[in-house]
């Protein structure tokens, strides 16, 4: 082989080697261009069986962990993690499975990410594809946090109460729409300034403080009340929140006026009033209670308990002395229970001769009210009236004439001893009222028939017939009676029977027509 041939072979070898290297370089560039324009394989993948997530890549698992609890991952958690970025994500796993292989692109302009859904071996596969798969999880979490931040900002702007952020130097860094609107009404000149009434001072060692404060509307000159709160933030600043409590102030004012009105009304009552709260401490009393029970105002002002209150009454002999003092406190407890049910009422006869009616009534929120009413005059009047009735009864019992008095409704209201003996009737022993019908039934049994009985029935049936009249009646045993019927005041009627004297001439029957 000549030297020329060797050189030719070497040249051809070098050329072939160069062509090979060039081809490899071109292929590598082509492959790199192809990979650059092809989305990488997703590194965020989920596999679901039914609604339950049965498998996930570590990065995908981290996304769910950031969204919710680590146990019980299902479609709802996955939907919550990706629906904000991909609004087209189906609401249920069954719906996603029925749609078949689909690709859902991100809703934000410029976001090239997408979700791919498909069924693999009967299981639903969900994959997140990002241009840079290495930062897919971080990018998704940042987008999700930004979406949450935007929503929080929108909510803060829509919040009807003022919210603001202050820097460490006390300057307003941010405020919502409600704060700015209030600022214009409170201080129209200032813009972005701090409302001085809301500039609270945090107590030493505390990270929050709430205080009721008032601002004045410059346009209407009307006060507006707020519960202003101040909370320390991690960066050394503070966050402020003011809740409108005008309705609460109005309710408190109305309640205070109502209580004042009640207090004035209670002060004029002659009935003693003592209200004990749910803790059984005296919460309210009126001057009549002091006058009736002779209790010092200083003692009542200390808000004694119920048992202490009754101990003082017992010491002052302003209640009946209990026979068994050991069980007396238990009786007081029983009285409280009865008062809560509205069943307690007692009559106290005091050693001084006074008589009180004590009534227990339930009040809202477990409180009870005790009412002390002096009924001494009423009891005295009742006793005098009863004594007069007894005296009148004793007087008519001495009469020989048998007397019965019937009310306007025909009920027997009074009779004397002679009546009960003559007609063998005792109205006091009967549980039911004795009426004129009952009396006439008994009279007809013990007397012979005659014109008196139908005339008497007609008299009671006609309330306009109010004339006196007389008649004669003969009893079955032959006893002759003279009967008289006389109207009394109030529509009552007296029916009297007396023995006809034996020396009189033949009996005359004078009915209503001959009266």
């Amino acid at each position: 082989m000549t030297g020329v041939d060797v050189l030719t072979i070497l040249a051809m070898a070098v050329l072939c080697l160069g062509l090979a290297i060039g081809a490899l370089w071109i292929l590598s560039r082509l492959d790199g261009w192809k990979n650059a324009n092809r989305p990488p394989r997703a590194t965020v993948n989920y596999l679901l069986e039914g609604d339950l997530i049965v498998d996930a890549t570590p990065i995908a698992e981290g996304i769910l962990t950031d969204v919710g609890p680590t146990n019980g991952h299902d479609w709802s958690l996955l939907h919550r993690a990706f629906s904000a970025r991909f609004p087209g994500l189906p609401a249920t796993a069954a719906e996603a499975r029925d749609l078949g292989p689909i690709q859902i692109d991100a809703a934000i302009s410029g976001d090239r990410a997408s979700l791919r859904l498909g069924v693999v071996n009967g299981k639903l596969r969900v994959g997140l594809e990002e241009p840079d798969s290495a930062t897919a999880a971080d990018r998704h979490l940042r987008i999700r946090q930004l979406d949450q931040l935007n929503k929080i900002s929108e909510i803060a702007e829509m919040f009807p109460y003022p919210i603001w952020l202050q820097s460490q130097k006390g300057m307003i860094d941010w405020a919502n729409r409600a704060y700015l609107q209030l600022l214009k009404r409170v201080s129209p000149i200032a813009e972005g300034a701090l409302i001085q009434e809301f500039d609270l001072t945090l107590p030493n060692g505390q990270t929050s403080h709430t205080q009721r404060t008032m601002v004045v509307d410059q346009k209407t000159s009307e006060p507006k009340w707020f519960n202003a709160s101040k909370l320390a933030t991690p960066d050394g600043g503070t966050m402020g929140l003011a809740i409108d409590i005008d309705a609460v102030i109005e309710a408190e004012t109305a309640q205070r006026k109502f209580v004042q009105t009640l207090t004035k009304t209670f002060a004029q009552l002659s009935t003693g009033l003592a209200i004990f709260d749910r803790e059984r401490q005296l919460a309210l009393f009126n001057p009549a209670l002091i006058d009736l029970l002779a209790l010092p105002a200083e003692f009542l002002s200390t808000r004694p308990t119920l048992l202490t209150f009754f101990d003082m009454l017992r010491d002052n002999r302003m209640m009946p002395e209990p026979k068994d003092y050991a069980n007396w406190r238990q009786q007081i407890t029983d009285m409280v229970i009865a008062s809560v049910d509205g069943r307690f009422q007692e009559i106290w006869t005091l050693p001084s001769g006074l008589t009180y009616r004590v009534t227990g009534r339930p009040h809202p929120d477990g409180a009870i009210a005790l009412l002390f009413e002096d009924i001494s005059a009423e009891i005295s009047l009742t006793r005098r009236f009863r004594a007069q009735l007894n005296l009148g009864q004793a007087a008519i019992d001495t009469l020989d004439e048998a007397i019965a008095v019937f009310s306007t409704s025909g009920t027997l209201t009074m009779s004397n001893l002679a009546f009960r003996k003559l007609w063998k009737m005792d109205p006091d022993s009967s549980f039911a009222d004795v009426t004129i019908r009952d009396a006439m039934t008994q009279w007809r049994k013990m007397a012979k028939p005659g014109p008196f009985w139908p005339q008497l029935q007609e008299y009671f049936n006609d309330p306009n017939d109010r004339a006196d009249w007389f008649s004669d009646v003969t009893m079955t045993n032959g006893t002759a009676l003279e009967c008289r019927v006389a109207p009394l005041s109030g529509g009552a009627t007296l029916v009297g029977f007396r023995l006809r004297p034996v020396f009189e001439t033949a009996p005359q029957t004078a009915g209503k027509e001959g009266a």
Side-chain angles (χ1 to χ4, degrees):
M1 181 178 296
T2 63
V4 176
D5 295 333
V6 173
L7 292 175
T8 300
I9 293 172
L10 289 174
M12 291 179 66
V14 171
L15 179 62
C16 290
L17 180 62
L19 290 173
I21 294 173
L24 290 173
W25 181 81
I26 291 172
L27 289 174
S28 66
R29 292 300 300 259
L30 289 173
D31 186 65
W33 176 84
K34 181 179 179 182
N35 291 336
N37 289 275
R38 184 184 64 187
R41 296 179 61 188
T43 58
V44 178
N45 291 306
Y46 303 92
L47 203 62
L48 293 93
E49 185 171 358
D51 284 341
L52 188 63
I53 300 175
V54 296
D55 194 13
T57 59
I59 296 177
E61 186 72 25
I63 292 177
L64 295 184
T65 303
D66 183 74
V67 174
T70 57
N71 296 327
H73 287 177
D74 57 10
W75 177 263
S76 62
L77 186 63
L78 188 146
H79 188 273
R80 192 160 67 249
F82 291 96
S83 59
R85 189 178 182 188
F86 304 96
L89 186 64
T92 64
E95 183 181 350
R97 187 176 289 105
D98 294 341
L99 291 176
I102 59 171
Q103 176 178 323
I104 304 174
D105 296 328
I108 302 175
S109 177
D111 188 354
R112 296 170 54 195
S114 63
L115 281 180
R116 290 186 179 272
L117 285 71
V119 178
V120 179
N121 296 328
K123 296 182 175 63
L124 178 63
R125 178 185 177 276
V126 180
L128 172 64
E129 294 186 352
E130 289 268 11
D132 184 1
S133 59
T135 60
D138 293 340
R139 176 176 168 78
H140 179 75
L141 291 177
R142 285 197 302 272
I143 292 175
R144 184 174 179 276
Q145 290 171 355
L146 181 61
D147 177 71
Q148 292 178 340
L149 183 61
N150 291 335
K151 290 181 179 178
I152 293 174
S153 178
E154 292 175 1
I155 293 173
E157 288 295 335
M158 294 169 56
F159 199 66
Y161 303 128
I163 306 175
W164 66 96
L165 293 176
Q166 281 182 263
S167 65
Q168 194 170 8
K169 296 181 180 180
M171 302 298 293
I172 296 294
D173 289 340
W174 173 86
N176 69 344
R177 186 182 298 112
Y179 179 92
L180 298 178
Q181 291 175 348
L182 180 65
L183 180 63
K184 290 180 181 179
R185 297 170 64 180
V186 173
S187 181
I189 300 176
E191 293 184 2
L194 174 65
I195 298 177
Q196 296 301 320
E197 289 80 1
F198 295 161
D199 190 14
L200 307 182
T201 301
L202 289 176
N204 293 333
Q206 296 187 15
T207 58
S208 64
H209 179 57
T210 300
Q211 180 177 315
R212 179 175 292 187
T213 185
M214 181 194 70
V215 297
V216 179
D217 191 326
Q218 298 297 327
K219 294 182 180 179
T220 62
S221 299
E222 294 181 355
K224 293 188 66 64
W225 287 90
F226 293 88
N227 264 351
S229 300
K230 192 171 187 179
L231 298 89
T233 56
D235 60 356
T238 57
M239 184 189 81
L241 171 66
I243 304 296
D244 186 349
I245 57 170
D246 281 344
V248 176
I249 296 297
E250 291 178 3
E252 291 178 352
T253 302
Q255 183 183 25
R256 186 163 50 251
K257 290 181 179 179
F258 180 69
V259 171
Q260 291 174 353
T261 302
L262 286 181
T263 302
K264 293 178 180 178
T265 303
F266 292 156
Q268 298 175 1
L269 290 178
S270 59
T271 300
L273 174 67
I275 298 179
F276 293 85
D277 59 23
R278 64 186 308 172
E279 304 299 331
R280 300 298 174 257
Q281 284 189 309
L282 185 63
L284 180 66
F285 65 93
N286 65 342
L289 187 73
I290 300 175
D291 297 336
L292 291 175
L293 302 180
L295 294 176
E298 296 79 7
F299 167 74
L300 297 176
S301 300
T302 60
R303 301 189 61 202
T305 64
L306 188 66
L307 289 176
T308 304
F309 176 81
F310 278 98
D311 280 336
M312 180 63 76
L313 291 182
R314 180 176 176 273
D315 293 341
N316 291 351
R317 298 174 62 83
M318 295 305 296
M319 65 175 295
E321 179 67 26
K323 296 180 180 179
D324 187 356
Y325 184 76
N327 295 329
W328 177 71
R329 286 177 170 260
Q330 181 60 42
Q331 294 174 5
I332 295 298
T333 303
D334 295 340
M335 183 209 69
V336 171
I337 296 174
S339 298
V340 172
D341 295 338
R343 296 180 287 105
F344 175 72
Q345 181 170 324
E346 286 187 357
I347 302 297
W348 287 1
T349 301
L350 306 183
S352 60
L354 297 175
T355 304
Y356 289 166
R357 179 190 292 118
V358 184
T359 307
R361 290 288 183 266
H363 265 235
D365 199 24
I368 61 171
L370 296 180
L371 304 176
F372 297 85
E373 184 180 1
D374 186 355
I375 59 173
S376 302
E378 177 183 340
I379 294 297
S380 177
L381 180 62
T382 301
R383 289 172 179 170
R384 287 199 300 270
F385 180 69
R386 186 179 296 114
Q388 291 175 359
L389 287 179
N390 293 336
L391 180 61
Q393 183 67 48
I396 66 172
D397 282 344
T398 62
L399 299 178
D400 293 333
E401 183 181 16
I403 294 175
V405 179
F406 295 88
S407 67
T408 183
S409 62
T411 302
L412 180 63
T413 59
M414 181 181 293
S415 62
N416 64 350
L417 182 61
F419 175 85
R420 294 192 289 272
K421 288 182 177 180
L422 177 64
W423 297 109
K424 305 295 189 270
M425 296 177 63
D426 187 5
D428 295 336
S429 63
S430 175
F431 289 103
D433 292 335
V434 177
T435 64
I436 183 63
R437 183 185 300 273
D438 301 327
M440 290 186 66
T441 300
Q442 180 68 11
W443 295 342
R444 287 176 183 271
K445 288 180 181 179
M446 300 183 63
K448 296 179 180 181
F452 174 72
W453 308 117
Q455 291 175 0
L456 181 62
Q457 184 65 57
E458 182 182 354
Y459 180 87
F460 275 94
N461 292 337
D462 186 2
N464 297 320
D465 190 356
R466 304 297 293 166
D468 296 356
W469 58 285
F470 301 83
S471 186
D472 293 328
V473 172
T474 302
M475 299 186 70
T476 55
N477 60 5
T479 303
L481 299 176
E482 184 183 81
C483 309
R484 70 184 180 101
V485 180
L488 302 178
S489 62
T493 301
L494 181 145
V495 181
F497 305 90
R498 68 183 182 89
L499 296 175
R500 184 163 44 83
V502 296
F503 56 82
E504 289 187 359
T505 59
Q508 297 178 354
T509 302
K512 294 194 294 181
E513 293 78 1

